[in-house]
Amino acid sequence: MQKTEHIVFKRAAKRHSNEHHGGAWKVAFADFMIALMALFLVLWLMQVVDQQERKAIVAYVNSASVFDEGAGNPFDTANSLSPIDFGGEAADLSSHNAAMTIKSFFDGNGDGPERDALIPGSFETQAQLAVLASVVEETAKQVSAQGNISVDITPQGLRIILQDDFKQNMFHRGSANLTPFFEDVLLNIAPIFKQISNSLIISGHTDATQFKSKFSRSTNWELSSSRANVARQTLIAGGMPSNRVLQVAGMAERALLNKQSPDASENRRIELFILTTPAANIVDALFGTGNPDNILDKARSKAQFNQPVIRSDFINHAQPTPSNSPQPLSHL
């Protein structure tokens, strides 16, 4: 019989180079879930907050820093005014860091709006105050704070307004702690007061929202006063002589800039009023410092000197009465 050979074909299984799959897909899936949760959180915030609260959130995110040790937990709402009112801590002046490095200005050459171009002395006339206003405005440009600083020239002096806007908050809500942006603004303005000898009034203002704290009975009066005092401390830390300050006042919500919208951000502000010498003398006299050269004492003395004299009294005092003559009834 003829032999037949059977040919057997054996197919080898294909071997995959990656027999064991890694966990990369888990990381990608986790990232996707986090992004989805963030989207739902944003949609929820857009639903439950109003326009003013959205501005407060944006301002806080722009000004807050994870490296700011004094900021605390931004999501701790134990002392907040509302669930999205970040940073409702009570005023603590001891936490103010006055050792921040002051940004350098550009060197002045004697001309233009540089600080070094100011001639040291007292600024009294409208022209002098206009030069001072241009220096303040130029300083605001150096720190990108044009929208947060406004300057008004008045017959009594120069009014500098530092206020919130929808991007930057000067203070955290319910707190007297300066945000880093406005602290830098005040530190840059402070050297201007080395060149001028005018007296200064610092006033703090709040909006119409009533400040409430679970741990104290503080109101907008205490809050505005604390904020004005923090502004004074920051200016002094920046190089302003302490004797420039004539008065520090808290005005609460009694002097609103935007009365149509009492809760508007522009109502939350610090005002620096640089007084002319006559205006400073009036303020000084109103609070009775006992200065013999103040204008009220001079006016009082001049009024007494110019009082009319009764003619009969003048004759009686001018002509002595003889000793043997009867005394007038008024002398008995």
Side-chain angles (χ1 to χ4, degrees):
M1 293 179 67
Q2 186 178 0
K3 281 186 177 181
T4 58
E5 295 181 357
H6 295 281
I7 300 175
V8 178
F9 294 94
K10 186 178 181 180
R11 298 181 180 274
K14 295 183 178 179
R15 296 181 178 273
H16 297 280
S17 58
N18 298 327
E19 293 184 358
H20 300 284
H21 294 282
W25 68 275
K26 299 178 182 179
V27 176
F29 183 74
D31 292 341
F32 172 74
M33 294 302 297
I34 292 175
L36 195 61
M37 291 176 61
L39 174 62
F40 285 132
L41 179 61
V42 171
L43 294 176
W44 175 77
L45 285 176
M46 295 292 291
Q47 178 68 26
V48 300
V49 301
D50 57 18
Q51 185 67 22
Q52 293 296 330
E53 290 173 332
R54 293 174 191 172
K55 293 180 180 179
I57 294 175
V58 173
Y60 183 86
V61 172
N62 288 336
S63 61
S65 172
V66 295
F67 302 103
D68 188 4
E69 297 179 357
N73 181 9
F75 299 100
D76 182 10
T77 59
N79 301 329
S80 299
L81 301 178
S82 66
I84 54 85
D85 181 18
F86 302 112
E89 67 275 6
D92 182 14
L93 300 181
S94 61
S95 64
H96 175 67
N97 181 15
M100 175 177 280
T101 303
I102 303 175
K103 289 185 177 179
S104 61
F105 204 78
F106 50 87
D107 295 330
N109 57 2
D111 296 323
E114 297 87 353
R115 288 191 301 226
D116 295 342
L118 289 177
I119 300 176
S122 180
F123 287 70
E124 306 293 341
T125 65
Q126 296 292 298
Q128 291 174 330
L129 293 174
V131 173
L132 184 58
S134 65
V135 173
V136 175
E137 292 173 347
E138 184 63 28
T139 305
K141 291 181 181 179
Q142 299 302 310
V143 292
S144 302
Q146 302 94 314
N148 303 101
I149 296 180
S150 60
V151 183
D152 294 328
I153 301 175
T154 69
Q156 293 77 28
L158 186 66
R159 182 188 183 193
I160 304 173
I161 302 176
L162 296 91
Q163 60 189 16
D164 289 0
D165 61 8
F166 69 96
K167 292 182 179 180
Q168 297 289 347
N169 280 348
M170 186 178 302
F171 298 92
H172 297 300
R173 293 288 295 225
S175 169
N177 295 327
L178 271 173
T179 57
F181 175 80
F182 276 96
E183 187 176 30
D184 193 47
V185 170
L186 287 173
L187 290 172
N188 276 270
I189 292 177
I192 297 177
F193 296 96
K194 291 182 179 180
Q195 303 294 101
I196 64 176
S197 59
N198 299 63
S199 296
L200 173 70
I201 292 179
I202 304 175
S203 59
H205 303 259
T206 66
D207 57 22
T209 303
Q210 295 303 313
F211 172 68
K212 297 179 181 179
S213 175
K214 295 180 180 179
F215 304 101
S216 66
R217 296 183 179 179
S218 299
T219 63
N220 283 344
W221 290 104
E222 288 78 12
L223 182 61
S224 60
S225 301
S226 297
R227 289 178 173 180
N229 195 41
V230 168
R232 179 190 65 86
Q233 293 174 347
T234 307
L235 289 171
I236 293 176
M240 182 189 74
S242 59
N243 59 358
R244 294 289 186 271
V245 182
L246 180 62
Q247 187 181 63
V248 177
M251 297 293 293
E253 70 280 2
R254 297 303 299 273
L256 298 175
L257 286 182
N258 188 350
K259 295 182 179 180
Q260 286 72 26
S261 180
D263 297 334
S265 59
E266 57 264 29
N267 293 322
R268 301 187 294 270
R269 67 195 189 278
I270 293 292
E271 292 193 6
L272 311 177
F273 206 110
I274 302 174
L275 300 173
T276 61
T277 299
N281 290 337
I282 293 175
V283 175
D284 189 47
L286 287 175
F287 292 93
T289 59
N291 182 8
D293 295 330
N294 65 63
I295 58 176
L296 288 184
D297 289 342
K298 290 181 179 180
R300 187 183 300 109
S301 300
K302 189 173 181 180
Q304 292 176 351
F305 179 78
N306 292 330
Q307 284 183 353
V309 179
I310 301 177
R311 182 175 181 82
S312 59
D313 292 340
F314 176 77
I315 295 175
N316 291 334
H317 286 84
Q319 298 180 356
T321 304
S323 59
N324 57 355
S325 61
Q327 296 292 330
L329 294 177
S330 61
H331 291 236
L332 293 179

